[in-house]
């Protein structure tokens, strides 16, 4: 049953599975229903399952820096669900921007909010920073501490490293070639300075592909590829509608 409308779904899919760092338990995201299952396998013959309601449609997510809290995107609901793996319950649901897509997200220490977890978005240029330390930074915990402006929509992955002061944000699904062929980089010590653009395709010497012929609806079944029989591949219409607002940037 779906978490909001209580409709029966005949074939919900598992979007992600992660292992708890506190107990013999898996955290399982059930995509279409918006439910998160905590599957305890201490007794492998008698599994114990805790069902937690969150929001549709669940996708990917990752741990906060302490490995206690699992943050997962409910992308079509524009929310992030937070699961407390130690207590075995939902800690919060956080409203973010359009179609969050964190991958595993990125953890770093914000100058004002303390430890934060970051996610980009498929449907906008925004980058949400969510406070993750309810013990020492309760005021900012499970709230959007700051919303950064990236290059544009179409983000899939956002990364950093505990020993790095850089936050890397890609935009491979943005239709603008300058965006989907580059990566935006923020300095986590000075987020207000904006981002620099790393022209990855240019540095790698990758040349742009020539345009591909589009398909007509009356393409014959005998033609295995449309456009022409000599090999032009079929093009697909974009799945999402991106925010195309360019932000000021500088190349290093």
């Amino acid at each position: 049953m779906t978490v909001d409308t209580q409709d029966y779904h005949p074939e919900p899919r598992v979007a992600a599975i992660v292992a708890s760092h506190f107990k013999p338990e898996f955290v399982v995201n059930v995509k279409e229903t918006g439910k998160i299952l905590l599957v305890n396998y201490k007794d492998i013959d008698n599994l114990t399952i805790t069902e937690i309601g969150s929001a549709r449609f669940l996708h990917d997510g990752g741990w906060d820096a302490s490995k206690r809290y699992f943050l997962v995107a409910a992308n079509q609901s524009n929310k992030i669900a937070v699961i407390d793996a130690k207590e075995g319950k939902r800690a919060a649901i956080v409203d973010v921007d359009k179609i969050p897509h964190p991958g595993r997200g990125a953890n770093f220490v914000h100058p004002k909010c303390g430890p934060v977890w970051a996610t980009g978005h498929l449907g906008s240029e925004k980058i949400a920073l969510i406070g993750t330390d309810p013990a020492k930074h309760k005021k900012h915990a499970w709230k959007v501490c700051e919303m950064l402006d990236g290059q544009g929509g179409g983000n899939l992955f956002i990364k950093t490293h505990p020993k790095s002061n850089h936050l890397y944000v890609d935009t491979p699904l943005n239709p603008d070639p300058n965006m989907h062929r580059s990566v935006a980089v923020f300095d986590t010590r000075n987020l207000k300075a904006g981002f620099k653009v790393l022209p990855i395709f240019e540095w790698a010497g990758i040349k742009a592909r020539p345009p591909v012929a589009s398909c007509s609806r009356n393409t014959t079944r005998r033609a295995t590829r449309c456009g022409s029989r000599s090999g032009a591949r079929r093009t697909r219409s974009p799945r999402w509608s991106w925010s195309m607002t360019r932000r000021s940037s500088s190349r290093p």
Side-chain angles (χ1 to χ4, degrees):
M1 303 291 286
T2 58
V3 69
D4 45 8
T5 60
Q6 295 299 301
D7 290 329
Y8 170 72
H9 194 290
E11 203 170 322
R13 295 169 289 174
V14 172
I17 303 176
V18 295
S20 170
H21 294 264
F22 291 90
K23 59 187 79 171
E25 194 166 75
F26 290 116
V27 183
V28 181
N29 296 335
V30 186
K31 187 179 184 75
E32 287 83 3
T33 63
K35 294 181 178 179
I36 298 169
L37 307 179
L38 305 182
V39 182
N40 190 297
Y41 55 88
K42 182 177 181 179
D43 183 348
I44 197 66
D45 294 319
N46 298 281
L47 300 178
T48 302
I49 300 177
T50 301
E51 182 180 284
I52 300 173
S54 58
R56 296 192 291 172
F57 288 76
L58 293 173
H59 196 53
D60 50 8
W63 297 102
D64 78 305
S66 72
K67 302 295 191 296
R68 173 173 175 173
Y69 300 98
F70 182 62
L71 294 91
V72 55
N75 53 25
Q76 288 297 326
S77 297
N78 304 328
K79 299 178 186 296
I80 298 291
V82 184
I83 300 300
D84 184 341
K86 183 177 181 179
E87 297 296 330
K89 62 182 182 181
R90 189 182 75 199
I93 293 182
V94 185
D95 289 317
V96 288
D97 214 68
K98 188 176 181 182
I99 316 175
H101 193 287
R104 287 184 292 178
N107 292 290
F108 63 94
V109 178
H110 188 274
K112 180 181 72 174
C113 307
V116 296
W117 179 89
T119 180
H121 296 80
L122 282 166
S124 84
E125 77 282 6
K126 299 297 184 180
I127 301 161
L129 310 182
I130 299 173
T132 60
D133 185 7
K136 296 181 180 180
H137 296 83
K138 186 176 181 179
K139 178 181 177 181
H140 302 291
W142 316 135
K143 298 176 184 176
V144 175
C145 160
E146 186 173 355
M147 194 75 82
L148 305 176
D149 289 328
Q151 287 199 85
N155 168 253
L156 283 183
F157 299 103
I158 181 168
K159 293 293 180 184
T160 186
H161 186 275
K163 295 183 179 180
S164 173
N165 294 315
H166 297 114
L167 179 68
Y168 294 80
V169 186
D170 69 8
T171 44
L173 295 186
N174 194 294
D176 185 331
N178 291 323
M179 293 191 196
H180 68 236
R181 295 171 184 166
S182 62
V183 173
V185 184
F186 291 84
D187 185 338
T188 58
R189 298 164 299 181
N190 186 18
L191 295 169
K192 294 188 183 301
F195 58 86
K196 291 187 176 181
V197 175
L198 306 186
I200 303 299
F201 266 54
E202 180 184 327
W203 290 348
I206 300 174
K207 296 181 179 179
R209 292 183 178 182
V212 179
S214 61
C215 300
S216 61
R217 288 182 175 274
N218 59 0
T219 304
T220 60
R221 292 177 64 86
R222 288 185 300 169
T224 56
R225 300 188 182 191
C226 53
S228 71
R229 297 195 184 191
S230 60
R233 289 191 175 183
R234 182 172 183 175
T235 58
R236 299 178 65 183
S237 58
R239 186 176 179 187
W240 311 108
S241 175
W242 311 117
S243 169
M244 290 302 296
T245 304
R246 284 302 295 268
R247 301 293 172 180
S248 60
S249 61
S250 59
R251 294 181 183 273

